[in-house]
Each structure stands twice: as structure tokens, then as C-alpha cells.
Amino acid sequence: MMRWIEKSQIRLQMLFRRGHEAQRLDDELNFHLDRQIAENVAAGMTAEEARYSAMRSFGNPTELRDKTRETWSWTWLDLFLRDVRYGIRTLARTPGFAIIAMLVMALGIGSNVALFTVVHSVVMKPWPFKDPDRLVRLYEADAHGAFRDNSVAGGTFDSWQKSARTFEQMAIMGGMDYNLSGSSGQLPEQVYTATTSWNLFPMLGVEPALGRFFTASDDRPDANATVVLTWGLWKRRYGGDPHLLGQTVLLNAKPYTVIGVLPEWFTYPETRMQLWTAAYHEEPAERMQTHDRHNFDVLARLKPGVSIQQATAELITIQQQNRKQFPDGPVFDAANIRPIVDADVHEIKTALYTLLGATACLLLIACLNIANLLVARSASRRKESAIRTALGGSRARLVREQVIESTILSIAGGGLGILLAYGMLQWLIHIRPDIPRASEIHMDGIAALFAVGVVLVCGLLSGLIPALSLDDKQLLRTLQESSRAHSAHGRVRLRRILLSFEVGLTVVLLIGAGLLLKSYSRLRSVDPGCATRNVLTMSFSLPEARYSAPSQVTNFYEQLLDRIRSLPGVEAATLATAVPAEGHHGDDAFSIQEHPPLPKGAWLDASVRHIDPGFFTAMQIPLLQGRSFLPNERDDNTQVVVVNQALIRKYFPAEEAIGKHIVDENFGPRNKNFEIVGIVADTREKISEEPHPTMYYPLYRGTRNYASLAVRSSHDPANLALPVQKIFSDMDRNLPVADVLTMDQIIGKSTLNASFNATLLLVFAVLSLVLAAVGLFGVLSYIVAQRTGEIGIRIALGAQRGQVMSLMLNDGLRPALFGMGFGLLASIGLSQLIQSMLYGTKPFDLSVFVLVTMTLLVVSALACLAPAWRASRLDPVQALRTE
Amino acid sequence: MGKPSDLVQGTLDLLILRTIALEPMHGWAIAKRIQQVSGEVLQVQQGSLYPALHRLEQQGWIKAKWAESETGRQAKFYSLTTAGSKQMEQETANWNRLSEAINLIVQSA
């Protein structure tokens, strides 16, 4: 114990007062020497003789000092620091190389750290809820597999809650746009609001930042209207005013009391949700009891020890009973469960992993490049290494020096890279706010650890490759060589191999980028089926409190369209519950009156849109047969419907559809038969999906109090934004409009994913191409310098310039060709992995592969051109003289 | 008897420990004392003495203090620590056992 104290004392001294101790050692040895001299003098020698004799017996003072110091603790640190100093000095001697290497490293490390942070934050990190691995999302599904992740019906949720034993708790979530207004004269705005059962927040383990959350008594139809704000909304619209608690805000013109504010980090399920209300209070009762209208998301907490399979099995049993009880209509008979994070991110996972793989390739190429450069450098220092080895230096020492040098580069590059990563993340979040969980993306401890790990691995890799290529069997030859010639064949082969790898990886990246680009361009060129040039859109909803009767709703629509159509520059204006390319906006189950009855429990499905009579002409959607709606077809006296080609192809493949009837029960039992009066061309809800069968109902029935306005203009539609919004506020001061976008912007949004992935991958691919080209250039220059003597002899013996040039070109292109072959093969396999990201492009797309091959050949040839040309221009006399 | 540079490292350690067990000494004095007591047979060279002294110090068997020497100059005096004296006992016992065993073989031949 005491010994340990003594030891620690000494160790600390050795660490912090090493210089002082070194001085003391000198004093000690000098003391000894002086005593020896004194003894010699006392024995009769002269002062000089005494000194010489003493020093002779003393031996080599430096060696003695070193041997003694070796016994000190922390010697390894001493040596290490010395190596680091040497490394820095060596790098400082070639600042150009050092800076370029650092930048290359920074790029590779930075992009890797950035993407790893994204993948970790979005895909791997759980939400900070209580026991998040017990939280799951429940979906309805179809036993035949036609639907897998379907929303849940209110009545189904009820049956699950009552009968399921494998869950601790369940909560239901819905969402819709509300008009938020009232208080302090701010403009009304449309906010996306979530409706939830009262127990959601307690189930997730979330504590309010202010106030309280819902209780069971708030979650009843007869309760007072209450609302919980998200932190973002509270800060943005109300300035973080704590006195807001207990005050009322107007949602859809109805008063709601603010009871609480969510904590800042809570942005589940998406940042779009800005307000929370109680579901059983908000939603109409029959919506919470029906089994065939699927409007909700369900979150649940599994009981401890219960697996997802067990829970799914239990839900399926309940579903089957439901189906027996309600055999008609879209009542599902199966269920599906996903863990909570997976539910949100499983669509984006492939893209993220692909990008991460691309950055890993880029980093590997960067390391290989640097290794290549270091190999070249160590080749020029072979003489020095040989001499050191001959004098007794260990190979381990040389390896350590090399690794330390490359690690210094790596650390410097890594530091820069982390800054770069930070910048990249900010840019990423800014440009892609639609990434799920985007608010969670920030660098944390794990990302820092990853960064450190990457830096170390890069340093090791770039250092070990050249270091391990040191060959001390060549020692004697090296020492015997004349000073100017280089001829280490082993080194060249290593450089060629490294280069092949580089080229191979570059090919993989290029092909990936090519495939994604082609995919994106295919996507972008898809015709959504309607007018897209100069079309402005915006959406709004009419609060029930002020527009309770269908006729009020219809009047508003008509007046709005009249006034907008009279604006200068407006060619057409129209309303619809959703315009094309805006995504899925609900579908209905139906049957066809004239067809034989469907088997029990089966139903037909089509998307639903409500439109004004001028919709098809305004959006330039061709009317193929029959007619659109007449202006007097409105309210309850109209039972007409228009369908699109996709519906005809699916359900009336070989017959006349006009005049037949659709049976849709969603408008009430009295009004379920609709006569098909017209057939229009297809439009796309999602650009990347085929057109869905669609039914168009007259908006003037007044059953839909929300709509998207589309205005087609003869000039830039953005000029119409303000005049149109003014008309809105003239007609109703408290009516906000939202999502003011042109059709081009809407289509851009829907292809944002594809364009982003393609662009990013292209940037990486081009960077690696540049690196590979530089590498090729370097290797061939090196080879030429090496073979100067040989080339001189060839030319002297009569070889033509052209022959020499093609000889050198071959030499340089060979590793590139090997690499290309290996890269192409690898791409054929790897491109299968990104199949889900491709649109209209096969993974093995011949044109992309051919284009990449050509590009690489051209770039390689260009890179090799300069050194090869220089070789052909060699003066043989000069070349031979340098021998 | 060979020169002390043939001594196994552990044996030199033992000699040093026993020498400074009596009183604290500096390196020069230790070398002189060993030479004296062994009858001029064992001459410890600086090349092995000082590394050994520093190693023993790093391991905590001996501790050092700078003090005024008999000539008036400052010198580094080494003395045993508690753990060091225990180690010395152990090393002595080991040495005795070893040398007895060797003696048995040498004398029986």
C-alpha cells in the first residue's frame, strides 16, 4: 500500500517534472565522476590524468544517461512525443503535400461524420420517452396482404382497447388542419392539429413544460374544450408568454382553453403538429365507433415480456372477430405492429444507408490516395530507412513513425472535417426539413466517438499500408544502389493495387450516382396529367362554427371563384379537395350497382376528390367521354359522379360505364347511388406511383368544407398570390390560407427526395473521380521517373516517340482498367441494394454502365496523358546521364 | 569471480538493498561499500549501478533525497522504504536458497 503511494509519487514526478529530473540525473552522474576524479588525484595522478582515467572508466556518458532514463516510467510517452515532433517537422518540410492531404481527409471524414450523425439521430436513436423499446405503432392490415400499414378505425381501436391483454396502454392519434385565430390581433393561420386520447402523454412518459396535460375528464364529448400547445408554437406565436395558461384561443372559431405546453424536445410525430386536442371531445362520435372509416394512428405500450409477435397474434384474433361481426365493407381482418421509430423511418432508411455507404467509399478512397502519396514519399526515403535498419533500428520503429505521421494528418484533417460536418448538418436540416425526426439531428457523444474512431482508423490505414510495404530484405541492394536511380518494383505494384481499388470504388459511386440521376430525371419528366405551368395553389378550410350549412359552404366557394376569375391575368380558377401531385387524400369503398353483387365482405376502392364544375377545363385534364358537372348540380339534389380512366380500366374493362351507377355509402343511406356522367384522363396523386382509380364528386354538394384553390395564369402566377389572398381576407377576415405554392413547386417537393439523393451521390462520385484521377497522374509520373533510364535506352535504340507514349499510357491505364473491371462487377451486385430508390430505371441499366465506363476511360487517359507525353519527350542523353 | 557486470540484475538489486539497509548512501558510496565489503572482488560499474538505482526507485523499493554529502556538495542519498526492506528480506531468502542448492550440486561433484 505504502509502496503504491511511493510509486505513484514517483510516477507523477516523472510525468510533470521530467526536465527537472533530467537535470538532477546529470548532477548525480557528475557528482560520481567528480568523486572518482578526486580519488584518482588522491591516488597520485595529475588532474588531467585523473580526469581522463575517470571518464574512461565512466564509459559513454550519453549511453549511461539513456540507459538510466529508460528505467523511468512514462518513457513510452517521451518517445511518443518525440515521434510526434519528428512527424510534424517532416510534414512541415513538404507543406503542399500536408495541406492537400489534410483537406482530402477533412472532406472524407467530415462527410462521414455528418451522415453518420443523421443516420444515428434519425434511425437509431430512440425518442426520449419512458422505456421506448416497449412502444409500438399498431396498424390495421388485410389478411391477403393488400394493405399492410393501414390507418385504424375508431371502433376498431375501441375493440382493441377493450379486449387486448398484451398491452399496458393504447392511445389513438388523428390529425387535421385547424384555423387558429383570436388573441392579440395576429393574423389567423392554419395549423396542423393532432387529436389524441388523453392517456398518450402519460403513456409516453412526457412531462409538461408548463401547465398540465389532458385527463380522462377532458377527453369526453361534453367536456370543456382544451388544447395543449407545442413549444414551437408557444414560442413563435405567443412569444413564450407563461400567462397564456388558462386563456382561450379560437380554433375553427370555437374557444379552447390552453391548459399546458409540451417540452421543447417533443416534436413527435412530426414538427408539422403544432397543437394537441382531446380526441373523444373533438371527433364526431360515430367516427370513433365506426369500423370501416380508417382515420387514426394508434400508439401502444407492450406489457413487459410480451413480444411483438405475440401482440400481433392477439390483435389478429380480435380483428377476425370484428370481421365476423361486420362482414360488409372495408373492415380489416388482420393487424401489423411496428416499433415506434421504425414506423416513421422505414421508408427513408434505404436512402440514408446508401448515402452513408457512399461517404464510406469516399473516405476509403481518400485514405487510399493518402497512402499512395505516403508510399511514394517513403520510396524516396528508402536510402535513409535502409541505413537506419543497417545501424540497428527496428522495423517497428519505422512503422510507428509512419503511422504517427499519417495519424497527425488524420487528426488535423479530422478537426477540419468535424467543422465541415457541422456545416453540412446545418445545411442538410435547412434544405430537407421533411426528413422524419429532422429536429433530432445534432452531434452528440456517439457522433463524437464515431468521429474519433474514424480519425484513428484513417490514420492507421493510411500509415500501415506504406509502412508495411517496407522491405528490409532489399536492404543490401538498396545500400548498394547509386544515389539517383530508383527501382523498387515492389513499391510500384503496391501503388498500382491501391490505384485499382480507388478506381473500382469510384466506379461504384459513379454508377450509383448515374442510376439515381436517371431515376430522378425519369421522375421529373412524369406527366402528372394536368396543367403545371403558371398554376398557383393554396389551401384553406371553412370552420364549421361559421359555415354550418352546406349552402353557406357552397356560396363561399362560388363567390370566391367568381371574384378570382375576374382578376386580371387569371385564365382559370378552380377548387378541389386536393390537386394532382398533392398526395393521397382519402379513398372510399364502393360497389357498382349494375354489376353482380360482390362476395360477402369484399369491396371496391377508389380515391375521392370533390371538385367544382370547371375543374377539368381549368386544370386542362382531358374529358374523354360524357360531361363534367353542371353549375346547378349542387347540394342534395345531385347524384352524379365523374370517374377517371384508371377506374374504368380496373372496374369497367370491357363495357360502357356512362349511365351506370356507383354505390357509395359515405354520404348517407338516402344518397348512395351516383350516376357516372363523365370519364376523364388520369392524373397522378404521387409522381412516383401509377394513377389510382378516382371518383370525382361535385364540391357544390357542400359536404366538404376544405379545399385547395388552383389558379391558372397567363403570366407568372406568383404575382397573383397577394391579390388572391386579399380576396380571401375580404370575404372572411378570420380565414387563413396555407401552402401557397405553384404546381411546379408541389411537383418539386414530391421529387425532393430523389433529387437530393441523386445530387449528393453525384457530388461524392465526382470528388472520388477527381481523387482517382490525381492518383493516376501521380502513379504514372512516378513510374516514368523510375524508368527514366530504361526509356532513355529505348529512345536511344530507336523507339519512336509515339511508341514510348503508348507504352507509358498502357502502363498507367492498366491498373485503371483492372479497377474499372472490378468496380463494374461490384456495381452489378451493389446496385440491387438501391433498387427501392430507383424509378423507371433497372439496377443494371446498360446506358448508365456504358456512360460511366466511357467517362472513366476518358478521365484516366487524360490523367495519364501528361506524364506519358513527358516520357516521350525525354532526351535520351540526359536520361542516361542521370544514371 | 567474474566482474559485476556478469551479475544477474536481481543480484545487483539485492546487493544495493543490503548496502543501504544500514544507512542512506549516495551512488558513489554504494559502489565503494560493495567493493570494500566484498574484498575488492565485486566492482559495480556505473553503467549498471545507476540504471539499477533508478529502477529500484521507480518501483518504490528505495527512496531518494538530496542532501549535503561529506564533501559539502549536494548528492542524492538513497534509503530503503518499508516495502523495500521487506523485499530485501525476501530476496535474501531467495538468494540463500538458490546458493545452497548450487553449492549442493557443486560440492557433490
Side-chain angles (χ1 to χ4, degrees):
Chain A
M1 174 60 197
M2 288 302 293
R3 175 171 166 235
W4 182 84
I5 295 181
E6 305 276 358
K7 270 184 83 170
S8 312
Q9 239 179 336
I10 302 275
R11 288 176 80 86
L12 281 171
Q13 250 184 325
M14 284 307 153
L15 185 59
F16 294 113
R17 305 180 70 215
R18 210 172 178 85
H20 173 83
E21 288 299 321
Q23 181 61 42
R24 285 303 203 173
L25 176 61
D26 280 346
D27 291 341
E28 191 179 357
L29 294 177
N30 279 334
F31 175 82
H32 188 116
L33 186 64
D34 288 341
R35 289 299 293 267
Q36 181 71 50
I37 294 177
E39 196 187 60
N40 287 350
V41 165
M45 300 192 206
T46 66
E48 251 192 72
E49 276 174 9
R51 171 156 281 256
Y52 279 146
S53 159
M55 289 189 71
R56 252 203 315 269
S57 71
F58 214 67
N60 180 354
T62 315
E63 192 190 339
L64 178 56
R65 203 178 302 136
D66 281 347
K67 268 180 76 178
T68 314
R69 281 184 70 152
E70 257 170 45
T71 64
W72 289 1
S73 38
W74 303 108
T75 307
W76 62 269
L77 188 63
D78 219 19
L79 290 173
F80 179 72
L81 286 175
R82 180 169 40 164
D83 281 341
V84 170
R85 277 201 300 276
Y86 283 171
I88 295 181
R89 232 186 287 160
T90 317
L91 285 173
R93 254 187 271 145
T94 50
F97 161 74
I99 289 180
I100 292 183
M102 273 197 287
L103 285 175
V104 167
M105 277 287 197
L107 206 62
I109 294 178
S111 49
N112 255 299
V113 171
L115 260 138
F116 173 82
T117 308
V118 172
V119 169
H120 172 69
S121 305
V122 170
V123 179
M124 296 197 248
K125 212 166 53 171
W127 286 103
F129 300 140
K130 190 176 69 178
D131 289 333
D133 44 312
R134 294 272 94 204
L135 290 170
V136 290
R137 205 124 137 213
L138 311 181
Y139 301 91
E140 292 203 61
D142 175 52
H144 301 295
F147 300 92
R148 271 210 76 208
D149 294 318
N150 209 327
S151 307
V152 181
T156 314
F157 168 73
D158 208 34
S159 67
W160 288 353
Q161 219 178 15
K162 288 205 178 74
S163 321
R165 295 275 154 265
T166 49
F167 299 96
E168 257 180 40
Q169 290 192 57
M170 284 189 204
I172 196 168
M173 271 187 340
M176 54 180 105
D177 284 310
Y178 275 70
N179 293 340
L180 174 64
S181 57
S183 75
S184 53
Q186 282 162 319
L187 287 174
E189 62 178 294
Q190 203 173 61
V191 291
Y192 199 66
T193 304
T195 58
T196 176
S197 43
W198 71 273
N199 62 331
L200 178 73
F201 299 123
M203 182 176 84
L204 296 177
V206 183
E207 294 291 325
L210 209 64
R212 65 172 182 89
F213 292 143
F214 306 114
T215 58
S217 54
D218 293 316
D219 200 14
R220 293 202 317 261
D222 53 341
N224 283 331
T226 50
V227 71
V228 172
L229 268 58
T230 54
W231 182 275
L233 180 68
W234 181 54
K235 279 281 180 193
R236 178 174 61 79
R237 190 176 167 91
Y238 301 102
D241 179 14
H243 298 293
L244 191 63
L245 275 187
Q247 295 191 11
T248 49
V249 295
L250 293 176
L251 285 179
N252 280 356
K254 295 203 281 255
Y256 286 70
T257 315
V258 176
I259 58 167
V261 177
L262 283 157
E264 187 171 2
W265 57 265
F266 188 90
T267 50
Y268 187 83
E270 41 185 329
T271 37
R272 210 165 53 117
M273 300 264 194
Q274 305 200 48
L275 273 176
W276 293 78
T277 56
Y280 286 93
H281 172 266
E282 283 308 295
E283 307 279 358
E286 46 102 12
R287 219 168 178 226
M288 304 303 286
Q289 288 156 7
T290 176
H291 282 268
D292 55 8
R293 308 279 295 280
H294 307 269
N295 304 307
F296 299 105
D297 294 330
V298 174
L299 275 180
R301 181 180 285 282
L302 289 169
K303 281 211 176 107
V306 173
S307 74
I308 288 191
Q309 286 85 345
Q310 288 171 299
T312 316
E314 187 188 37
L315 283 183
I316 292 182
T317 319
I318 301 176
Q319 289 289 78
Q320 283 168 343
Q321 282 169 349
N322 282 342
R323 186 59 176 157
K324 279 206 204 73
Q325 211 184 351
F326 302 96
D328 293 318
V331 179
F332 287 113
D333 53 357
N336 187 21
I337 299 185
R338 284 187 191 277
I340 192 174
V341 169
D342 184 56
D344 294 324
V345 304
H346 71 270
E347 281 174 12
I348 205 179
K349 261 200 307 211
T350 318
L352 284 180
Y353 283 143
T354 306
L355 287 175
L356 190 62
T359 53
C361 283
L362 183 65
L363 187 62
L364 198 55
I365 292 177
C367 289
L368 288 175
N369 232 344
I370 295 196
N372 224 334
L373 292 167
L374 286 174
V375 166
R377 231 189 20 178
S378 77
S380 60
R381 289 159 67 187
R382 265 168 52 257
K383 240 355 198 301
E384 172 201 334
S385 314
I387 293 177
R388 284 171 69 176
T389 315
L391 285 176
S394 66
R395 187 170 153 183
R397 184 71 197 277
L398 290 170
V399 171
R400 196 171 71 215
E401 270 185 23
Q402 183 69 278
V403 170
I404 286 181
E405 215 181 295
S406 61
T407 310
I408 292 175
L409 275 176
S410 185
I411 290 177
L416 250 130
I418 291 185
L419 286 173
L420 182 68
Y422 186 73
M424 276 181 77
L425 283 175
Q426 300 303 104
W427 168 81
L428 200 91
I429 297 176
H430 172 74
I431 206 174
R432 291 292 305 276
D434 64 305
I435 294 183
R437 304 186 69 192
S439 58
E440 292 282 302
I441 298 179
H442 44 255
M443 294 208 263
D444 59 356
I446 307 253
L449 261 159
F450 176 79
V452 168
V454 166
V455 162
L456 287 176
V457 166
C458 283
L460 272 171
L461 197 67
S462 326
L464 279 176
I465 296 178
L468 291 177
S469 74
L470 296 169
D471 192 359
D472 37 37
K473 296 188 210 81
Q474 300 273 339
L475 191 55
L476 198 55
R477 260 188 70 196
T478 313
L479 287 171
Q480 283 176 343
E481 276 170 6
S482 56
S483 56
R484 301 256 187 89
H486 328 269
S487 54
H489 300 291
R491 297 291 174 81
V492 177
R493 199 173 66 222
L494 175 65
R495 295 194 72 186
R496 285 215 187 97
I497 292 177
L498 291 178
L499 202 65
S500 301
F501 268 121
E502 270 191 63
V503 171
L505 286 171
T506 306
V507 165
V508 170
L509 283 181
L510 279 171
I511 287 188
L515 286 173
L516 285 182
L517 270 175
K518 183 160 181 184
S519 195
Y520 171 66
S521 79
R522 281 273 160 89
L523 205 59
R524 212 45 170 101
S525 64
V526 162
D527 180 14
C530 66
T532 54
R533 263 176 24 98
N534 293 340
V535 176
L536 182 70
T537 65
M538 57 190 79
S539 62
F540 62 97
S541 66
L542 303 172
E544 234 181 273
R546 291 202 304 271
Y547 300 85
S548 45
S551 53
Q552 286 177 299
V553 171
T554 318
N555 280 341
F556 183 92
Y557 289 152
E558 265 192 313
Q559 274 193 41
L560 181 70
L561 285 180
D562 278 338
R563 291 171 80 157
I564 293 181
R565 281 172 186 150
S566 60
L567 281 178
V570 170
E571 282 184 1
T574 179
L575 289 168
T577 46
V579 295
E582 257 194 332
H584 190 65
H585 270 78
D587 50 339
D588 272 359
F590 68 99
S591 55
I592 300 170
Q593 193 184 28
E594 288 78 7
H595 283 190
L598 297 162
K600 200 95 169 79
W603 71 91
L604 307 177
D605 197 81
S607 296
V608 172
R609 295 279 186 272
H610 292 240
I611 55 166
D612 84 290
F615 179 73
F616 299 118
T617 36
M619 295 301 287
Q620 295 175 327
I621 301 173
L623 181 66
L624 301 172
Q625 256 193 302
R627 61 171 180 84
S628 176
F629 306 126
L630 302 169
N632 68 345
E633 283 174 327
R634 56 179 60 210
D635 302 330
D636 263 358
N637 81 345
T638 170
Q639 298 295 122
V640 286
V641 67
V642 172
V643 298
N644 71 348
Q645 273 268 289
L647 193 143
I648 299 291
R649 276 197 303 269
K650 191 160 181 197
Y651 300 119
F652 297 91
E655 57 182 295
E656 176 65 49
I658 304 256
K660 301 239 164 61
H661 292 80
I662 299 250
V663 182
D664 186 339
E665 317 233 340
N666 288 300
F667 296 90
R670 289 186 303 119
N671 310 323
K672 54 182 187 165
N673 290 352
F674 293 85
E675 183 187 344
I676 301 178
V677 296
I679 303 176
V680 294
D682 291 332
T683 56
R684 292 192 180 229
E685 292 177 13
K686 274 198 192 154
I687 295 288
S688 54
E689 285 176 11
E690 292 298 306
H692 294 189
T694 310
M695 309 188 287
Y696 296 92
Y697 291 114
L699 188 62
Y700 289 169
R701 291 187 103 256
T703 51
R704 292 288 187 270
N705 61 341
Y706 60 88
S708 289
L709 169 74
V711 179
R712 187 156 52 84
S713 155
S714 46
H715 309 297
D716 184 8
N719 295 334
L720 289 171
L722 279 178
V724 169
Q725 289 184 67
K726 184 149 186 327
I727 292 179
F728 270 101
S729 64
D730 279 348
M731 291 180 64
D732 184 337
R733 211 166 34 94
N734 286 319
L735 193 65
V737 296
D739 298 328
V740 181
L741 297 166
T742 62
M743 271 305 282
D744 280 328
Q745 284 173 324
I746 290 181
I747 296 180
K749 259 174 74 170
S750 63
T751 55
L752 181 61
N753 222 357
S755 92
F756 179 78
N757 292 336
T759 313
L760 216 55
L761 205 54
L762 186 67
V763 166
F764 292 147
V766 167
L767 281 173
S768 12
L769 189 61
V770 167
L771 284 177
V774 167
L776 255 177
F777 176 85
V779 167
L780 194 57
S781 307
Y782 178 73
I783 293 177
V784 166
Q786 236 201 32
R787 293 167 72 174
T788 308
E790 175 201 333
I791 297 174
I793 293 176
R794 281 178 189 262
I795 298 181
L797 287 180
Q800 299 298 319
R801 307 270 183 208
Q803 281 176 315
V804 171
M805 188 152 138
S806 55
L807 177 71
M808 286 295 112
L809 266 179
N810 274 343
D811 222 15
L813 284 178
R814 236 199 329 219
L817 289 171
F818 269 127
M820 191 149 51
F822 145 74
L824 286 172
L825 279 171
S827 303
I828 295 182
L830 288 173
S831 59
Q832 301 287 341
L833 293 174
I834 61 169
Q835 197 164 13
S836 59
M837 289 167 64
L838 299 178
Y839 176 81
T841 316
K842 284 199 296 292
F844 182 62
D845 186 304
L846 204 60
S847 59
V848 169
F849 274 68
V850 165
L851 189 64
V852 166
T853 312
M854 300 267 82
T855 311
L856 208 65
L857 279 174
V858 166
V859 169
S860 313
L862 282 174
C864 295
L865 209 58
W869 189 83
R870 243 190 295 128
S872 70
R873 291 253 152 267
L874 273 179
D875 178 7
V877 176
Q878 278 287 33
L880 290 169
R881 200 179 286 160
T882 61
E883 282 287 324
Chain B
M1 270 292 214
K3 286 217 290 293
S5 53
D6 290 333
L7 277 175
V8 173
Q9 173 188 304
T11 325
L12 178 58
D13 287 356
L14 178 59
L15 292 178
I16 293 175
L17 288 175
R18 285 210 74 95
T19 308
I20 61 178
L22 306 169
E23 54 169 335
M25 291 187 209
H26 50 67
W28 167 256
I30 294 175
K32 280 292 147 196
R33 174 67 61 87
I34 293 179
Q35 201 174 328
Q36 254 178 1
V37 174
S38 69
E40 303 299 318
V41 173
L42 300 175
Q43 288 170 21
V44 188
Q45 295 300 319
Q46 300 85 324
S48 15
L49 176 66
Y50 283 100
L53 282 171
H54 279 249
R55 190 172 13 87
L56 289 170
E57 187 187 358
Q58 296 288 315
Q59 284 173 344
W61 306 130
I62 63 181
K63 57 177 186 279
K65 206 165 68 151
W66 281 81
E68 202 179 290
S69 72
E70 47 294 348
T71 59
R73 275 181 65 178
Q74 288 281 314
K76 192 173 179 188
F77 283 82
Y78 294 94
S79 56
L80 270 186
T81 61
T82 336
S85 65
K86 279 207 209 75
Q87 176 76 353
M88 181 187 72
E89 301 295 334
Q90 206 170 339
E91 291 284 317
T92 312
N94 285 345
W95 170 257
N96 285 332
R97 207 173 47 240
L98 185 65
S99 57
E100 270 174 38
I102 295 180
N103 274 337
L104 284 174
I105 297 180
V106 163
Q107 280 164 8
S108 69

